[in-house]
Amino acid sequence: MDHSAHHTSTAYDHAAHQAHAGRGGHAHAGASWGTAAKATLHCLTGCAIGEILGMVIGTALLWGNVETMILAITLAFVFGYSFTLFAVRRAGLDFKSAVKVAVAADTVSIAVMELVDNGIIALTPGAMNAHLSDALFWTALLGGFAVAFVITTPVNKWMIGRGKGHAVVHAYH
């Protein structure tokens, strides 16, 4: 009997396992700190671009603190989601499915990051009233990103270890 038509290669089995895991059907016990840090850095990059852009726009337009923070947080989510959205679209997902994957992968990570980062900015004396040309503006913003990275990485590790968060994207890499 000829078994050459059967697909039993390790690569095939691994891909099937990853696709299954990406749908949340299987936990990723033992998610590494490196994987969590990469997921967090990916998320932080999109958040930082959006948040800095929002802060710059709001400050340049002389908006109040509340309006500027709302714009910055909104753009942080938009840019954070867009990084994942474009990556999974390149992998062949249709737009609607790609949006679902991006939202599932990034929402908790972005939310924790934004909560921590904006909390640091809000609690830093004078930072909310600092201008783009002030060192305090940039120190508070970048310090908030650093603290957010440290706090969000374990959150992402925990979620990836349970097949959630950035684990849903791994099926498309």
Side-chain angles (χ1 to χ4, degrees):
M1 184 161 160
D2 182 13
H3 295 283
S4 62
H6 292 243
H7 297 283
T8 59
S9 72
T10 305
Y12 175 82
D13 291 342
H14 180 70
H17 170 75
Q18 286 294 348
H20 175 70
R23 290 188 298 273
H26 184 65
H28 292 269
S32 73
W33 283 105
T35 298
K38 286 178 187 174
T40 305
L41 186 59
H42 175 268
C43 213
L44 178 64
T45 303
C47 287
I49 291 168
E51 189 161 334
I52 291 170
L53 184 60
M55 294 284 192
V56 168
I57 291 170
T59 302
L61 295 176
L62 303 175
W63 286 2
N65 291 336
V66 173
E67 296 87 357
T68 300
M69 285 189 94
I70 290 170
L71 177 63
I73 292 167
T74 300
L75 290 177
F77 273 91
V78 168
F79 278 86
Y81 286 142
S82 70
F83 275 35
T84 300
L85 181 70
F86 292 130
V88 296
R89 287 281 292 143
R90 271 194 315 263
L93 250 58
D94 63 275
F95 185 77
K96 185 177 177 181
S97 298
V99 168
K100 288 180 182 179
V101 168
V103 169
D106 294 333
T107 299
V108 171
S109 184
I110 295 171
V112 170
M113 201 164 295
E114 286 303 300
L115 180 67
V116 171
D117 177 49
N118 285 287
I120 297 289
I121 294 168
L123 294 174
T124 301
M128 293 296 292
N129 296 317
H131 296 281
L132 296 175
S133 60
D134 295 336
L136 180 59
F137 173 86
W138 295 102
T139 304
L141 186 62
L142 297 176
F145 289 148
V147 173
F149 178 83
V150 170
I151 291 175
T152 307
T153 299
V155 172
N156 281 332
K157 183 180 186 309
W158 182 81
M159 290 181 57
I160 293 167
R162 280 145 190 78
K164 307 287 185 203
H166 281 266
V168 301
V169 175
H170 292 176
Y172 306 102
H173 285 275

